[in-house]
Amino acid sequence: MDRFRLDALARRSLLRRLRTIDSAPGAEVELEGRRILLFSSNNYLDLATHPRVTEAAISAIRRYGVGAGASRLVSGSLRPHRELEERLAAFKRVEAALVFPTGYQASLGLITTLAEDCSVFYADRLCHASLIDACRLCDAPLRVYRHRDHAQLTRLLQRGRTPRPALVVTDGVFSMDGDLAPLPELDKAAEQASATVVVDDAHGTGVMGATGRGTVEHFGLEGRPLVQMGTLSKALGGLGGFVAGSRDLIAYLVNRARAFIYTTALPPAQAAAAIAALDVIEDEPERRERLWALRRRLHDGVRQAGFDTLDSRTPIIPLLIGDAEAALRLSEALLSHGIYAPAIRPPTVPAGTSRIRLSVTAGHTPAQIDHLLEVLQKICASDDSLRERLRGAPPPPS
Ligand SMILES: Cc1ncc(COP(=O)(O)O)c(C=O)c1O
């Protein structure tokens, strides 16, 4: 690789580098020799280190070892995979579920398989990269509709009617904006056009809905023919992905989804950890309550400080900055005060919408949230150009 390409990224403030953390992904971590406050993890319910979850993983390692040894269809389909799939189907209140090694692979496996029968994809402009990549692997054309614009989608679906059904692809909770897909409207538009909606609920599972079942529960759409996928890597604290839907869909995926068939199965300890995480989600609703109370505290605080948080409704709270260089500067200023919240820049978000993406977890304390707010205020007080940017933000709610 040409050094020139790296230099070009650096000149545009788009160079990324990996930082090393020497501790579990809690509210405080040890980053390159320093104790710092972490505001960027998707470990929303703080389950990555929950004793029931870690103990389940350890005892599964003792019984099954560290790896599945093969693809599920060869010899890697182990008891914890089956049990987890039954638990996920019950949790999502659908007939069946299928576990993949990662959420990314669940997207690839699901979309490429559904594409066999689909004429065209319609995807929200801010869909997760895994969904877009999956659509790009298929022959069917990909049409992008404006972010959350269900009216535009309805028009596109009506105009583009074909004998074979269309597939509508959306995140439930958008991973960089923290806002919600208008699922009831998407469901209605799809029904009118005999299309199918696929919801990537990576950030909704465990977080959204009265009992944490996700954005489909949040919108009261359980029982509707939406196909859901999600991850075990965020609120559930581990690793892995899943698809939840009808028994026939799951049986077909087992036969056709290349991202399921041609890869080694999820390590059984991760399946056992996810089962324990689902137990904790059901047994400890106070975790979710704590998460939402902390989220409210932080969101109110940053809005009062003048930040534009787009239409965030979830524990993902973007601080919209605009250009990549300014977002990077704010992220570095936060780090100099012992707070890690990386700048999210293109290509992860559209050009001109670089931001700090804050994420809250049930493992944070109110004092840590207040500390972050104080630090943000201190940085704003000493940075004229940041203050100038905030003046253009929409006014805070009264
Ligand atoms: C919306 C969304 N979908 C899918 C994924 C992929 O999940 P995983 O990290 O389990 O591969 C992620 C996260 O990385 C995500 O944010």
Side-chain angles (χ1 to χ4, degrees):
M1 176 49 64
D2 196 336
R3 174 79 226 172
F4 170 78
R5 289 182 183 277
L6 288 170
D7 293 342
L9 285 176
R11 270 196 305 280
R12 290 155 60 211
S13 298
L14 296 179
L15 192 64
R16 304 165 186 219
R17 80 175 179 91
L18 297 169
R19 294 185 186 271
T20 304
I21 292 179
D22 270 312
S23 56
E28 275 187 39
V29 295
E30 195 174 317
L31 181 123
E32 293 169 353
R34 290 170 64 201
R35 282 310 281 176
I36 57 124
L37 265 178
L38 184 68
F39 275 100
S40 58
S41 167
N42 300 318
N43 177 26
Y44 299 117
L45 295 175
D46 200 27
L47 295 186
T49 50
H50 191 293
R52 279 170 75 183
V53 177
T54 54
E55 280 311 315
I58 291 164
S59 57
I61 286 180
R62 292 213 174 93
R63 177 153 183 195
Y64 295 99
V66 294
S71 154
R72 292 281 295 280
L73 282 168
V74 177
S75 61
S77 195
L78 306 177
R79 175 69 51 202
H81 297 129
R82 289 300 312 153
E83 280 177 19
L84 174 58
E85 285 164 354
E86 278 161 25
R87 287 297 305 278
L88 284 167
F91 184 67
K92 288 286 184 180
R93 297 189 172 128
V94 295
E95 284 179 359
L98 186 68
V99 171
F100 289 71
T102 67
Y104 189 96
Q105 283 168 276
S107 293
L108 291 196
L110 174 64
I111 302 283
T112 54
T113 304
L114 290 176
E116 287 180 16
D117 224 12
C118 136
S119 56
V120 50
F121 295 110
Y122 294 98
D124 186 291
R125 176 167 178 255
L126 298 188
C127 268
H128 188 255
S130 60
L131 298 171
I132 300 294
D133 294 355
C135 294
R136 285 183 181 152
L137 284 175
C138 305
D139 290 335
L142 169 62
R143 310 235 154 89
V144 172
Y145 60 90
R146 284 188 294 272
H147 183 46
R148 300 194 302 158
D149 191 340
H150 54 86
Q152 187 194 17
L153 172 69
T154 305
R155 283 194 301 278
L156 289 171
L157 280 168
Q158 292 302 337
R159 237 187 278 144
R161 268 184 180 262
T162 56
R164 286 195 304 156
L167 212 62
V168 176
V169 179
T170 183
D171 292 16
V173 173
F174 288 91
S175 57
M176 295 298 136
D177 287 32
D179 53 1
L180 300 176
L183 283 191
E185 290 81 2
L186 300 186
D187 176 48
K188 193 165 151 213
E191 185 177 39
Q192 285 165 356
S194 306
T196 301
V197 180
V198 171
V199 185
D200 176 349
D201 213 16
H203 296 272
T205 301
V207 172
M208 300 300 299
T211 57
R213 283 162 218 278
T215 33
V216 172
E217 182 189 32
H218 170 82
F219 283 114
L221 292 173
E222 286 172 317
R224 296 292 305 154
L226 305 159
V227 178
Q228 295 181 64
M229 55 137 302
T231 70
L232 312 173
S233 62
K234 305 193 192 300
L236 274 71
L239 179 72
F242 66 89
V243 174
S246 71
R247 219 168 267 121
D248 286 348
L249 169 67
I250 298 306
Y252 196 63
L253 288 171
V254 168
N255 283 276
R256 297 293 294 173
R258 295 167 68 85
F260 172 82
I261 298 169
Y262 297 108
T263 192
T264 298
L266 181 76
Q270 285 296 340
I275 294 169
L278 289 171
D279 287 339
V280 176
I281 288 173
E282 282 176 1
D283 294 347
E284 299 181 22
E286 62 276 13
R287 277 180 182 268
R288 213 168 35 260
E289 285 156 24
R290 197 157 67 238
L291 170 67
W292 281 100
L294 291 165
R295 184 265 167 203
R296 208 169 309 119
R297 192 180 189 100
L298 179 56
H299 190 253
D300 288 353
V302 290
R303 294 290 285 115
Q304 293 301 335
F307 284 97
D308 182 352
T309 56
L310 300 172
D311 195 25
S312 164
R313 303 288 160 124
T314 68
I316 299 166
I317 303 176
L319 307 181
L320 186 68
I321 301 299
D323 69 79
E325 190 273 331
L328 200 57
R329 216 174 48 242
L330 176 54
S331 164
E332 278 162 7
L334 283 166
L335 194 56
S336 74
H337 285 86
I339 290 169
Y340 187 46
I344 307 293
R345 294 157 284 161
T348 307
V349 291
T353 71
S354 289
R355 68 201 61 186
I356 301 296
R357 174 189 183 271
L358 298 175
S359 53
V360 195
T361 74
H364 286 111
T365 63
Q368 288 168 336
I369 302 279
D370 294 347
H371 179 65
L372 167 60
L373 292 170
E374 276 161 31
V375 167
L376 279 170
Q377 241 147 20
K378 210 181 281 177
I379 295 170
C380 288
S382 64
D383 185 330
D384 294 341
S385 81
L386 182 57
R387 269 203 319 281
E388 196 52 44
R389 266 167 219 284
L390 299 191
R391 266 196 270 282
S398 48

